[in-house]
Amino acid sequence: MDRPDPISAPFGAFALSAFPERLRRLPMSLPLNGLRRAAETVVRRVLMAGGREIADIEVFPGQFARLHLRDNRCEKRVFAGSRTWDDAERAEIRQRIAAHAGDTPFVFVDAGANAGLYTLSVLADAQTLGKPVTVIAVEPDPENRRRLEFNLTASTAKDVTVAPVALGAEAGEAHLSVSGRNRGEVHVEQDGDGVTVPLRPLRQVLAENGIDRVDVMKIDIEGYEAPVLDAFFAEAPRNLWPGMILIETRHDAAIEDSAAGLCLKHGYGVAQQMRQNAVLVLQNGEV
């Protein structure tokens, strides 16, 4: 029997049968510690041992995704580990959503949205907490964006706008370099032979989507964070600066010398340092 087409097949075509699905969910019942993480690794290997490449699952409560297990590290990790995947980072965002007051939507910017897992997590938490939400998901890579949009459709997601651009210091064009081993690592290059995409400053993307306040921004654009943030802080009014920024720091020897360090110079403080990321919070007062 022919396999379903991973692009055109409707969600559910790659759903796990009853026993594999029970096995996939098994680690979620364990305490949130090293035992659960070890169990997730074992379960993932067992379920992928037969050559499984794609799986349609409920990735977070009420949110659904078609996961590509062989070429995207994030999608692979969340397959049997949706509770432990970036759990500390997502907990920080969840607390911000819970504390959000008033009738105005909580605004989340997912810069480097990849397949949309952070966006789906925010949507799930906002729904659980009964909070309105607006999401701007920025993803320049056509394949990652196709996966993102598929997952949003499968989740019947509302209040999400996908910006099909790469972020840069100024408007123009750029080329994308994609890692063959991990589609989550898409690099922006000024010169190259990769796919050409529009390059837009962050402030412009926010303005074009009617955003005048950002509660939380997750930015993971593979080393291009510094020029994007430098231009943004220079051009954007302070009231547009995100109240909290989640930024990758795993490639940096010292946070002071990184894009996160640039945020610190502009009045942010480190709320929490994780293994790969830092949570930065904008402090009160003038810079």
Side-chain angles (χ1 to χ4, degrees):
M1 184 174 63
D2 294 336
R3 289 187 175 186
D5 178 21
I7 294 179
S8 62
F11 181 84
F14 295 90
L16 279 65
S17 56
F19 177 73
E21 177 61 16
R22 287 198 301 270
L23 182 61
R24 186 188 71 82
R25 290 177 177 267
L26 180 61
M28 300 182 193
S29 63
L30 299 174
L32 188 58
N33 55 26
L35 176 61
R36 178 190 288 180
R37 296 181 188 278
E40 290 170 354
T41 300
V42 171
V43 166
R44 183 170 60 243
R45 288 174 178 172
V46 169
L47 293 177
M48 292 177 62
R52 187 187 308 277
E53 297 182 356
I54 298 175
D56 291 347
I57 69 167
E58 183 180 27
V59 66
F60 305 115
Q63 308 299 319
F64 302 88
R66 171 163 293 168
L67 301 180
H68 297 74
L69 308 176
R70 303 288 175 175
D71 68 351
N72 191 313
R73 190 175 298 122
C74 290
E75 294 181 67
K76 178 181 176 180
R77 284 178 56 208
V78 83
F79 174 49
S82 59
R83 288 186 65 185
T84 57
W85 175 75
D86 283 8
D87 54 301
E89 291 90 335
R90 293 190 295 118
E92 290 282 344
I93 299 174
R94 188 179 307 117
Q95 290 175 13
R96 284 267 165 163
I97 298 173
H100 184 71
D103 298 328
T104 59
F106 180 90
V107 179
F108 177 66
V109 175
D110 194 352
N114 202 332
L117 297 178
Y118 263 94
T119 288
L120 294 177
S121 175
V122 166
L123 294 176
D125 289 337
Q127 184 175 30
T128 298
L129 294 165
K131 303 284 186 175
V133 64
T134 293
V135 178
I136 305 298
V138 184
E139 179 50 55
D141 176 55
E143 173 59 20
N144 283 342
R145 192 168 63 250
R146 182 191 67 78
R147 298 181 187 186
L148 162 67
E149 292 173 340
F150 180 93
N151 294 339
L152 293 175
T153 299
S155 301
T156 61
K158 300 178 180 179
D159 304 313
V160 179
T161 299
V162 177
V165 301
L167 294 177
E170 57 187 22
E173 290 186 341
H175 304 274
L176 298 183
S177 173
V178 182
S179 169
R181 298 173 58 187
N182 179 21
R183 287 210 69 88
E185 297 180 354
V186 177
H187 301 269
V188 172
E189 300 177 340
Q190 292 296 336
D191 300 303
D193 56 4
V195 60
T196 302
V197 297
L199 194 69
R200 298 290 182 269
L202 175 59
R203 185 184 183 186
Q204 180 177 341
V205 172
L206 298 180
E208 289 175 349
N209 289 281
I211 301 299
D212 58 10
R213 189 196 77 259
V214 178
D215 293 293
V216 174
M217 178 172 69
K218 183 221 83 182
I219 182 166
D220 182 2
I221 52 177
E222 299 301 321
Y224 221 63
E225 293 87 354
V228 169
L229 291 172
D230 194 27
F232 178 74
F233 290 139
E235 299 168 359
R238 187 179 171 89
N239 66 318
L240 189 58
W241 296 7
M244 188 178 91
I245 296 176
L246 174 62
I247 189 167
E248 188 179 45
T249 56
R250 68 187 177 99
H251 298 300
D252 304 312
I255 192 170
E256 293 80 7
D257 301 324
S258 66
L262 178 65
C263 296
L264 300 184
K265 294 176 182 177
H266 284 82
Y268 286 82
V270 179
Q272 188 173 173
Q273 176 69 62
M274 291 82 165
R275 185 170 62 89
Q276 299 190 77
N277 304 300
V279 174
L280 311 177
V281 176
L282 185 62
Q283 307 297 302
N284 294 326
E286 295 297 325
V287 179

